[in-house]
Amino acid sequence: MRVLHLGMALACAAIAIAVPAGAQNSRPQPTRSTEAITNYIAPGDIALESVLPPWPQPGSLAEAADIETMLAVQRRRSPADAADAQADSVTMMPQWTAQLLGVGADKLPLTFALMQALHDDMRGVNRAANAAQGFRTRPALYDARIQPSLDLVGHGNASYPSARASSSAVWAAVIAQLVPEKAAAAAEMAERIAWRRVVGGAHYPSDLAGSQRVAASVVQALEKKPRFVAAIGPVCSELKAAQVTAVCRE
């Protein structure tokens, strides 16, 4: 997935050399339910502790880059930017699919069922990913200068990695398989969804770097899951019959 912003690029590079995070940027485990639905992939299918490096250490140059990027984005954030971030925050894989393809679930029931199942699976994976390196405090709860436009009540310790960024990257990869003609548009859309989490003040840029690692591991695991592989054939047939694609890769 391409990185669109210089500040994001710097922070994403910094995470690769981060050392274990200190206690001052973590809090007790949130009380949200960890019960997860499993359709194709479960949290245990991904070695999240190995996939995810620790986030930037408090006081490190990497953390400073994260925060400075957040503040720079905040200074430039317009009401329209805030509205876009809010709109993205309440959508899921099925809505992204409809927006991208211009077709609803009534025309593509198998396709949308697949996307809903993947979305449900990613809820569990993302919750486990948040816990893999200890729960990272949201930017605004760590640095009072950061003022989010998004409502983060009840989600204070789920910063790293970004669940929405992970899910959108997985979605884009699946779309690239199902509708190759839309691969570039889906990747661009996923990037936009992820970056708006930074724009809205919900995540650090390094959270997005972690999300990319999670998404890549999920996609690799899905390719080896017989149930997922078996589901792709009927979905491809449906997409071809609806003339959404001519080259769906089964």
Side-chain angles (χ1 to χ4, degrees):
M1 202 177 279
R2 300 186 307 278
V3 178
L4 302 180
H5 301 265
L6 179 58
M8 181 180 177
L10 291 173
C12 287
I15 196 173
I17 57 172
V19 296
Q24 58 264 52
N25 197 17
S26 63
R27 295 191 176 189
Q29 179 175 337
T31 57
R32 289 184 298 154
S33 170
T34 57
E35 182 179 352
I37 298 171
T38 299
N39 297 290
Y40 303 116
I41 192 164
D45 295 329
I46 310 296
L48 290 166
E49 292 80 3
S50 300
V51 167
L52 283 169
W55 62 74
Q57 182 186 30
S60 67
L61 291 176
E63 184 194 65
D66 251 355
I67 293 173
E68 286 306 312
T69 299
M70 296 285 298
L71 294 173
V73 170
Q74 181 175 288
R75 287 191 293 271
R76 296 193 300 267
R77 184 175 63 210
S78 67
D81 293 333
D84 287 340
Q86 176 60 35
D88 276 349
S89 73
V90 296
T91 57
M92 304 181 299
M93 288 191 190
Q95 286 87 354
W96 302 337
T97 303
Q99 182 178 344
L100 181 72
L101 301 183
V103 182
D106 57 328
K107 301 294 185 182
L108 299 172
L110 297 180
T111 303
F112 278 79
L114 176 74
M115 293 303 178
Q116 183 62 58
L118 285 173
H119 175 82
D120 292 339
D121 284 353
M122 286 304 296
R123 287 171 62 93
V125 171
N126 288 326
R127 288 171 182 169
N130 287 149
Q133 292 292 345
F135 291 90
R136 188 183 194 183
T137 305
R138 295 278 190 179
L141 297 179
Y142 183 64
D143 191 315
R145 295 174 297 170
I146 298 172
Q147 300 295 316
S149 63
L150 293 170
D151 180 6
L152 302 175
V153 174
H155 302 271
N157 298 358
S159 191
Y160 179 78
S162 165
R164 192 159 293 271
S166 299
S167 295
S168 64
V170 170
W171 168 81
V174 174
I175 286 289
Q177 178 179 356
L178 297 177
V179 190
E181 303 94 325
K182 294 289 187 178
E188 183 176 337
M189 187 171 169
E191 290 172 355
R192 185 171 65 249
I193 290 167
W195 184 249
R196 283 175 177 170
R197 302 302 288 168
V198 176
V199 172
H203 288 283
Y204 299 101
S206 59
D207 295 337
L208 307 191
S211 297
Q212 292 178 7
R213 289 173 175 264
V214 171
S217 297
V218 168
V219 171
Q220 290 175 1
L222 282 172
E223 292 172 350
K224 301 174 184 177
K225 290 291 184 179
R227 188 174 180 185
F228 177 76
V229 172
I232 293 298
V235 170
C236 279
S237 297
E238 178 181 77
L239 288 164
K240 290 176 181 177
Q243 299 184 330
V244 173
T245 181
V247 288
C248 182
R249 296 196 293 268
E250 299 184 28

